[in-house]
């Protein structure tokens, strides 16, 4: 090898090799091979420059030390260039047989090891160095340096071990100890992860090698996240678990497959613990999904009268009823009912009785109030906030309703499936009335069914945006007659 380097053939071989590597670098689609060849070409270009300098450097006028320096320079750069190119093509063959990417740290270790093996004979031949004696004389210094760099060397070998095991890659979401984030860099000494607050945390490889590592995104499979919640011991477990599943299925980011899971975890002195597990495509959404689960669950449990436990103990004497949470003033409820055209035929006493039967319901932003196609036995008046009425497979918005407007009357009074989906655009409070309440109204007011049928027919026509000119009163239109027939059948009313 040294005889070859001392001759004239290296200049010709280096020139040909440089041209070939440049051509391969320009044409290859392999990014890793292109980067490796770029380093090899730079070393070979440095070799050609130094070799030409050594050829034209005057023998007598130039210092002897300069000649040796230039000769050592072009020999090393030629050897390093050949090694770098050889390792690049060897790794290319490995990648062709295995889809796993070779860790950069491993490639660097191979390069530097071969560089050291090539450097020793060149320095011995050109500078007449006794490397064995040099190593022996610096043994104590080597021990001192080794002790001083103990932690650095530990990080180096730990990083090499991590790269060989490949528990994570750049871009994966991982948890190491108390730190959770996306891997943004893997190096010789440390790794860096960016957490949900966009803080970049540097962790030494030696610490990473000792901790348990959780990888949430390896192989890009769906990842499960869990949330626990405590509910009153009086709440039926099956009802709570059904509420957890319903809330989870309403969140768009939660996958249908694998399906959400709800379980009873434990009973404590103050509450019952429940767990819900949902699956996501991207672990980066976990915080926002947990927040949405907590928010929607509060509204759902509150509507169903299921209490979340408090830190303090309170004793309250009250008569249990479904109306115990009166969240609106009586005058406000009365005014809202008076605005509803369906209740215009009612007198003050009947309106007051109706007010006492109202149940106040709270819905959070983006919560579904009514689902298209489902059966409906409830009627709602918007007390505050705003709701969106949507229909069709694309759930296109038809209209938005605010305070004083009502929804759900058609399904409640005719028994037909819900014709649209209604979603709360913002936090909203609604007044709820059920079918038994309307059955009592029809029994007390025999003519109310015909009047409501006319109003419902007119409302349906407006929502469908069909311009029709009725020849007589609205109660004689075909639509009103059909609605009246279904209403009589559902409530068992007699023909007047």
């Amino acid at each position: 090898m040294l005889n070859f380097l001392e001759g004239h053939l290296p200049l010709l071989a280096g020139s040909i090799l440089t041209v070939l590597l440049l051509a391969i670098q320009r044409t290859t689609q392999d990014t890793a091979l292109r980067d490796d060849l770029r380093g090899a070409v730079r070393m070979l270009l440095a070799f050609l420059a130094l070799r030409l300098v050594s050829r034209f450097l005057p023998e007598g006028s130039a210092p002897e030390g300069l000649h040796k320096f230039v000769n050592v320079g072009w020999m090393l750069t030629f050897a390093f260039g050949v090694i770098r190119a050889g390792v690049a093509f060897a790794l290319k063959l490995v990648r062709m047989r295995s889809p796993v990417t070779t860790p950069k740290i491993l490639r660097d270790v191979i390069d530097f090891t071969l560089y050291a093996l090539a450097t020793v004979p060149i320095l011995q031949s050109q500078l007449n160095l006794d490397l064995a004696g040099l190593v022996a004389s610096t043994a104590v210094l080597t021990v001192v340096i080794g002790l001083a760099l103990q932690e650095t060397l530990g990080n180096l070998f730990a990083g090499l071990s991590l790269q060989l095991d490949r528990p994570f890659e750049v871009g994966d979401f991982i948890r190491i100890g108390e730190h959770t984030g996306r891997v943004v860099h893997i190096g010789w000494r440390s790794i860096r992860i960016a957490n949900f607050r966009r803080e970049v945390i540097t962790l030494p490889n030696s610490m990473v090698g000792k901790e348990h590592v959780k990888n949430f995104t390896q192989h890009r499979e769906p990842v499960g996240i869990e949330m626990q919640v405590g509910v009153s011991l009086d709440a039926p477990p099956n009802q709570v678990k059904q509420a957890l599943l319903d809330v989870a299925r309403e969140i768009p980011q939660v996958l249908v497959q694998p399906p959400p899971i709800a379980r009873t975890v434990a009973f404590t002195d103050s509450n019952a613990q429940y767990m819900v597990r949902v699956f996501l495509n991207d672990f980066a959404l976990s915080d926002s999904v947990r927040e949405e689960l907590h928010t929607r669950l509060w509204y759902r449990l509150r509507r169903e009268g299921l209490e979340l436990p408090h830190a303090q103990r309170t004793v309250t004497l009250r008569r249990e009823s479904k109306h115990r949470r009166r969240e609106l003033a009586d005058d406000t409820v009365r005014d809202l009912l008076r605005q509803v055209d369906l209740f215009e035929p009612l007198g003050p006493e009947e309106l007051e009785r109706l007010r006492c039967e109202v149940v106040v319901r709270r819905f959070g932003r983006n919560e579904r109030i009514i689902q298209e196609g489902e059966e409906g036995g409830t009627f709602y008046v918007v007390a505050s906030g705003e709701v969106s009425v949507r229909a069709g497979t694309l759930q296109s918005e038809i209209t938005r309703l605010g305070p004083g407007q009502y929804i759900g009357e058609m399904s409640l009074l005719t028994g037909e499936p819900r014709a649209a989906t209604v979603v709360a655009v913002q936090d909203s409070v609604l007044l709820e009335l059920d079918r038994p309440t309307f059955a009592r109204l029809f029994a007390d007011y025999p003519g109310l069914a015909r009047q409501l049928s006319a109003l419902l027919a007119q409302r349906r026509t407006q929502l469908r945006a069909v311009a029709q000119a009725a020849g007589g009163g609205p109660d004689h239109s075909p639509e009103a007659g059909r609605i009246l027939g279904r209403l009589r059948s559902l409530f068992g009313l007699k023909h007047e």
Side-chain angles (χ1 to χ4, degrees):
M1 175 67 179
L2 292 178
N3 293 331
F4 170 76
L5 290 176
E6 291 171 354
H8 299 288
L9 288 179
L11 184 60
L12 178 61
S15 302
I16 297 174
L17 184 58
T18 302
V19 173
L20 289 176
L21 294 182
L22 280 172
I24 296 173
Q25 180 191 353
R26 296 291 179 86
T27 57
T28 183
Q29 300 297 322
D30 191 330
T31 305
L33 178 62
R34 188 163 56 245
D35 293 339
D36 289 341
L37 292 183
R38 185 181 296 113
V41 168
R42 289 173 180 172
M43 291 182 184
L44 290 175
L45 290 175
F47 153 72
L48 293 176
L50 291 172
R51 189 71 177 93
L52 290 175
V53 169
S54 69
R55 288 289 302 274
F56 296 103
L57 194 66
E59 290 289 341
S61 59
E64 182 65 23
L66 180 59
H67 275 285
K68 289 186 177 182
F69 174 79
V70 173
N71 288 335
V72 170
W74 69 257
M75 288 182 182
L76 289 176
T77 51
F78 179 80
F80 291 173
V82 173
I83 290 172
R84 186 64 181 267
V87 172
F89 287 116
L91 294 178
K92 172 64 176 178
L93 293 176
V94 173
R95 288 194 297 272
M96 292 174 63
R97 296 190 176 188
S98 173
V100 178
T101 305
T102 305
K104 182 178 182 301
I105 189 173
L106 179 61
R107 292 155 55 196
D108 292 342
V109 168
I110 294 174
D111 284 342
F112 290 137
T113 301
L114 295 178
Y115 292 163
L117 294 176
T119 301
V120 171
I122 292 176
L123 294 181
Q124 283 182 326
S125 65
Q126 297 299 314
L127 301 180
N128 297 320
L129 293 179
D130 184 7
L131 295 182
L134 181 63
V135 171
S137 63
T138 58
V140 177
L141 181 61
T142 302
V143 172
V144 173
I145 294 176
L147 292 175
L149 297 178
Q150 183 176 6
E151 184 174 352
T152 301
L153 293 174
N155 289 327
L156 170 62
F157 288 108
L160 182 59
S161 175
L162 289 173
Q163 290 286 358
L164 292 174
D165 290 340
R166 302 182 65 81
F168 51 79
E169 298 178 357
V170 173
D172 287 349
F173 257 100
I174 64 173
R175 177 176 295 154
I176 300 175
E178 61 181 10
H179 303 290
T180 302
R182 190 186 297 275
V183 180
V184 295
H185 173 76
I186 301 175
W188 284 67
R189 190 189 68 84
S190 62
I191 70 166
R192 290 197 290 271
I193 62 174
N195 62 17
F196 292 114
R197 296 187 295 274
R198 297 188 178 181
E199 300 169 340
V200 177
I201 302 171
T202 300
L203 302 175
N205 287 335
S206 58
M207 186 273 282
V208 176
K210 297 175 182 178
E211 291 283 352
H212 295 289
V213 178
K214 287 187 177 182
N215 191 330
F216 299 104
T217 54
Q218 197 167 34
H219 308 307
R220 299 303 181 264
E221 293 289 331
V223 59
I225 63 170
E226 295 180 357
M227 182 194 82
Q228 289 198 10
V229 60
V231 184
S232 170
L233 288 167
D234 295 331
N238 287 337
Q239 185 179 359
V240 176
K241 289 189 288 185
Q242 188 60 49
L244 287 169
L245 293 176
D246 290 345
V247 167
R249 294 185 185 112
E250 290 179 2
I251 299 177
Q253 295 86 353
V254 173
L255 298 179
V256 177
Q257 290 294 334
I261 300 171
R263 291 175 179 165
T264 307
V265 177
F267 296 103
T268 67
D269 293 339
S270 59
N271 59 55
Q273 291 288 323
Y274 297 88
M275 180 274 291
V276 59
R277 180 185 300 143
V278 299
F279 293 87
L280 313 174
N281 273 329
D282 188 356
F283 186 76
L285 303 172
S286 59
D287 275 6
S288 61
V289 170
R290 282 194 182 95
E291 190 276 334
E292 192 72 11
L293 278 169
H294 280 102
T295 300
R296 294 193 182 206
L297 188 62
W298 185 92
Y299 288 98
R300 175 64 180 264
L301 295 180
R302 190 174 181 87
R303 287 196 301 275
E304 296 192 7
L306 303 178
E307 293 185 354
L308 294 169
H310 300 276
Q312 71 277 8
R313 294 181 178 272
T314 59
V315 178
T316 305
L317 298 178
R318 62 189 179 189
R319 186 180 70 177
E320 291 293 332
S321 74
K322 67 176 182 178
H323 314 297
R324 62 180 181 270
R325 285 195 179 93
R326 186 67 66 183
E327 303 188 37
L328 294 176
D330 292 344
D331 290 341
T332 302
V333 176
R334 190 182 297 109
D335 292 340
L336 287 168
L337 294 176
R338 193 177 291 115
Q339 297 177 38
V340 178
D341 51 10
L342 296 180
F343 303 140
E344 285 182 359
L346 303 182
E349 293 184 0
E350 186 58 43
L351 200 63
E352 180 64 20
R353 184 177 178 184
L354 192 65
R355 179 193 65 77
C356 296
E357 297 179 348
V358 161
V359 179
V360 178
R361 302 292 192 191
R362 282 188 177 271
F363 290 87
R365 179 173 57 89
N366 294 330
E367 267 201 295
R368 187 174 62 241
I369 303 169
I370 290 175
Q371 176 62 47
E372 182 179 0
E374 293 182 352
E375 295 183 1
T378 50
F379 165 84
Y380 296 99
V381 180
V382 181
S384 66
E386 188 178 32
V387 300
S388 171
V389 181
R390 306 169 183 177
T393 55
L394 299 179
Q395 290 294 286
S396 302
E397 184 175 272
I398 299 174
T399 185
R400 291 194 177 190
L401 305 177
Q405 296 176 294
Y406 54 89
I407 51 177
E409 73 287 347
M410 188 66 67
S411 182
L412 180 141
L413 294 175
T414 65
E416 298 176 352
R418 299 289 195 187
T421 296
V422 181
V423 178
V425 178
Q426 52 188 257
D427 281 15
S428 304
V429 177
L430 280 70
L431 308 181
E432 181 186 274
L433 292 169
D434 55 15
R435 188 169 286 153
T437 298
F438 279 86
R440 180 186 57 76
L441 289 175
F442 294 143
D444 295 343
Y445 292 85
L448 183 61
R450 182 176 294 276
Q451 297 179 38
L452 292 186
S453 300
L455 290 172
L456 292 178
Q458 185 178 8
R459 179 175 172 85
R460 172 169 285 185
T461 301
Q462 292 173 351
L463 290 176
R464 289 177 175 177
V466 178
Q468 294 179 347
D475 55 314
H476 298 298
S477 67
E479 182 71 8
R482 188 186 67 82
I483 293 174
L484 180 58
R486 292 189 63 88
L487 192 150
R488 285 172 174 165
S489 174
L490 182 64
F491 289 90
L493 303 179
K494 298 180 181 180
H495 294 270
E496 301 107 30

